[in-house]
Amino acid sequence: MRFAFLGFFIMFSLVVHAQEADCETETEKELKPMIAVAAVAVDSTSDNGCPNRKKFKNICMMIGDRTLNDDPATEKQVKYMYQKRLLDAGCVDLAKDSEQVKAEKIQNAWKTYEDDLKCNSSTFDVRDGHIVKYAVADKFEEFLDDVVKYKLNLNKVDVSDGMTVLDYIEAHIKRSKGTALEPKYKSYYDKLKKSGAKHKSEL
């Protein structure tokens, strides 16, 4: 009797286990499409996707140091490392992409991760200031020319000073009145305003 009961218990356990296994297998099958969709969603917003967030890392330092591009594959086409980072962040293919496509990809990367484009430096008078303000403070005209060339956003308002880049330049024009820096700041003001830069009050 004991053996019969033991045999019945073992058989019952095996049946239950098999049913549970089948249930788990069906669940996995049902979840597979959702898992695949989730994986695609994560990949599309990952640091290694397009646009690529990681490529903006240390870009402020590259602007401050005027770091030259030392990549053998692109150094003849791209002068500065910050330029290469803009291209890489947008996943630009220099061999295939037209100038229009290149600009659109860089614009998309800039727009997607603009909140990351903040700079801090002992020579910069804005805490967590926008990268274009930093280029103005550093008198890096080639960077400003690229911002204009690619039609990148010039109207970001920094939380720390409540200013757009145009407000920032105007403040420096007033501070440098009568000095050699005044005409330089005025030239920046005119260049960026012509390219769509606005005062905060105009937004």
Side-chain angles (χ1 to χ4, degrees), residues 114 117-118 124-134 136 153-175 185 189 192 197-203:
E114 189 168 16
L117 300 177
K118 300 173 183 175
F124 187 31
D125 54 354
V126 182
R127 183 174 175 274
D128 292 330
H130 191 264
I131 194 169
V132 178
K133 286 182 186 172
Y134 181 53
V136 168
N153 180 38
L154 292 166
N155 296 309
K156 180 77 172 176
V157 177
D158 287 321
V159 174
S160 57
D161 67 358
M163 294 183 180
T164 64
V165 66
L166 210 60
D167 295 324
Y168 177 77
I169 297 172
E170 184 179 58
H172 277 272
I173 291 173
K174 292 176 181 177
R175 288 179 202 168
Y185 283 125
Y189 184 95
L192 298 186
K198 296 179 179 179
H199 291 286
K200 183 181 178 181
S201 61
E202 300 175 294
L203 297 177

Side-chain angles (χ1 to χ4, degrees), residues 48-115:
N48 296 318
C50 286
N52 190 330
R53 184 180 190 179
K54 282 185 176 179
K55 297 302 179 179
F56 281 130
K57 187 177 180 181
N58 297 325
I59 194 169
C60 293
M61 183 179 68
M62 294 170 189
I63 290 170
D65 292 343
R66 309 288 204 275
T67 309
L68 296 175
N69 177 26
D70 58 0
D71 173 34
T74 60
E75 62 183 353
K76 290 183 179 179
Q77 299 166 281
V78 182
K79 180 179 179 180
Y80 291 108
M81 185 57 75
Y82 82 79
Q83 293 170 324
K84 185 173 189 307
R85 288 301 181 90
L86 285 175
L87 295 167
D88 290 346
C91 304
V92 172
D93 187 330
L94 287 173
K96 297 179 181 178
D97 292 339
S98 66
E99 286 300 312
Q100 181 178 342
V101 171
K102 184 197 300 184
E104 288 172 354
K105 286 184 174 182
I106 291 174
Q107 287 165 10
N108 183 42
W110 185 279
K111 181 179 180 180
T112 303
Y113 297 118
E114 189 168 16
D115 286 342

Side-chain angles (χ1 to χ4, degrees), residues 3-72:
F3 288 112
F5 177 77
L6 183 61
F8 173 78
F9 179 77
I10 292 171
M11 288 296 295
F12 178 78
S13 297
L14 289 171
V15 169
V16 170
H17 179 73
Q19 288 176 340
E20 288 177 349
D22 287 343
C23 181
E24 288 173 358
T25 302
E26 287 302 312
T27 301
E28 287 174 2
K29 286 179 182 178
E30 291 171 3
L31 287 177
K32 274 183 180 179
M34 289 185 281
I35 292 170
V37 169
V40 170
V42 169
D43 184 63
S44 67
T45 57
S46 71
D47 285 344
N48 296 318
C50 286
N52 190 330
R53 184 180 190 179
K54 282 185 176 179
K55 297 302 179 179
F56 281 130
K57 187 177 180 181
N58 297 325
I59 194 169
C60 293
M61 183 179 68
M62 294 170 189
I63 290 170
D65 292 343
R66 309 288 204 275
T67 309
L68 296 175
N69 177 26
D70 58 0
D71 173 34

